[in-house]
Amino acid sequence: MRQYVIYTRVSTEDQGKSGLGLQAQERDIDIFLANFSEAPWQITGRYQDVQSGGDNDRPELGKALAVVRKTGAELLVAKLDRLSRKVAFIANLMDDPKVKLRVASMPQADKFQLHIYAALAEQERKFISERTKAALRIAKEKGVKLGGLRDTTLKRNEAIQQKANAEAAKLITVIGPMRDRGKTLTAIAEALNNMGVATSRGGDWTAMQVSRVLARAA
């Protein structure tokens, strides 16, 4: 069975940008698993950092890589820049014989192509850094309290996580027994849909969403 360790990352600057938020990353990963992954597959773990991609020392990424090296699972990220924007960092990971890397948005990319994309991502990081500095200067000139904006973002993220944890705690009472009886993620999703149980966004259940609840409850 193909095993994956999913890693997602956002920074405070990324939160409101289209294509870079957690929802967009999860969407890309869902698409990869549904259309490009070998079946059957299993999610071994989920890890998330709220930190800049320019920082190599990220605690949750370290945990994810430890699981990958121990279990032989593949590290799955939505986009290469969610892993890092530094060429050297990505190159070292790809040279690690115990680390297998898959990028959802580039399902067929080989190591050579990933190196090229890593170089482009590093250039983008430098540009983003200068753009952020310029935006901060403009905000400061307008009298905006930058610390207040950051605190508001962090509080909003904490509220989102607390809500997700609470929902997972309720759902596991239904999903857990079905999983214990050996039902597949797809079968559990179908059962939830048949029972009229809606997801947190009011949509239908998928195997990936069931996997998220199990991982969060664990």
Side-chain angles (χ1 to χ4, degrees):
M1 177 182 291
R2 182 73 63 178
Q3 292 183 310
Y4 296 104
V5 172
I6 294 176
Y7 175 73
T8 54
R9 180 189 64 79
V10 290
S11 67
T12 54
E13 291 84 0
D14 292 333
Q15 291 288 347
K17 296 178 185 177
S18 175
L20 293 178
L22 286 176
Q23 185 175 353
Q25 291 178 61
E26 291 173 353
R27 175 205 62 206
D28 289 351
I29 288 170
D30 284 350
I31 292 173
F32 170 83
L33 292 172
N35 298 279
F36 298 98
S37 174
E38 295 180 12
W41 50 262
Q42 180 182 25
I43 305 302
T44 304
R46 287 178 172 274
Y47 300 88
Q48 174 194 320
D49 280 308
V50 181
Q51 199 169 344
S52 169
D55 296 333
N56 291 342
D57 186 15
R58 281 171 269 153
E60 294 303 305
L61 177 58
K63 294 176 185 178
L65 290 171
V67 174
V68 166
R69 293 184 176 108
K70 181 178 180 180
T71 65
E74 297 184 19
L75 182 67
L76 176 59
V77 296
K79 297 180 181 179
L80 195 59
D81 65 359
R82 298 300 86 195
L83 180 60
S84 178
R85 290 193 177 96
K86 292 185 176 181
V87 177
F89 183 84
I90 294 173
N92 285 336
L93 281 184
M94 289 192 291
D95 287 339
D96 188 331
K98 292 186 178 181
V99 175
K100 299 177 182 178
L101 175 64
R102 296 299 296 270
V103 181
S105 60
M106 296 182 288
Q108 309 299 338
D110 56 25
K111 285 188 175 182
F112 176 72
Q113 291 170 318
L114 290 177
H115 271 288
I116 294 176
Y117 280 106
L120 294 174
E122 184 172 90
Q123 293 181 23
E124 181 185 20
R125 180 180 65 84
K126 293 178 180 178
F127 177 81
I128 289 175
S129 176
E130 293 303 316
R131 185 180 64 190
T132 301
K133 291 177 183 178
L136 291 174
R137 284 196 299 269
I138 293 173
K140 187 175 181 180
E141 291 172 359
K142 292 181 177 179
V144 176
K145 294 182 179 180
L146 302 177
L149 290 175
R150 189 175 295 108
D151 290 343
T152 299
T153 299
L154 291 175
K155 289 179 181 179
R156 182 178 69 246
N157 294 340
E158 290 176 1
I160 292 172
Q161 291 298 319
Q162 290 175 359
K163 180 182 178 182
N165 289 336
E167 291 177 347
K170 293 179 181 178
L171 288 166
I172 197 63
T173 60
V174 178
I175 294 175
M178 287 192 283
R179 188 61 169 169
D180 292 340
R181 291 197 298 271
K183 285 188 174 294
T184 65
L185 299 177
T186 299
I188 294 173
E190 291 176 352
L192 291 172
N193 290 329
N194 291 335
M195 288 187 291
V197 178
T199 65
S200 59
R201 300 191 181 104
D204 292 334
W205 285 89
T206 64
M208 190 64 191
Q209 288 167 319
V210 173
S211 175
R212 289 198 199 107
V213 172
L214 290 168
R216 186 175 290 278

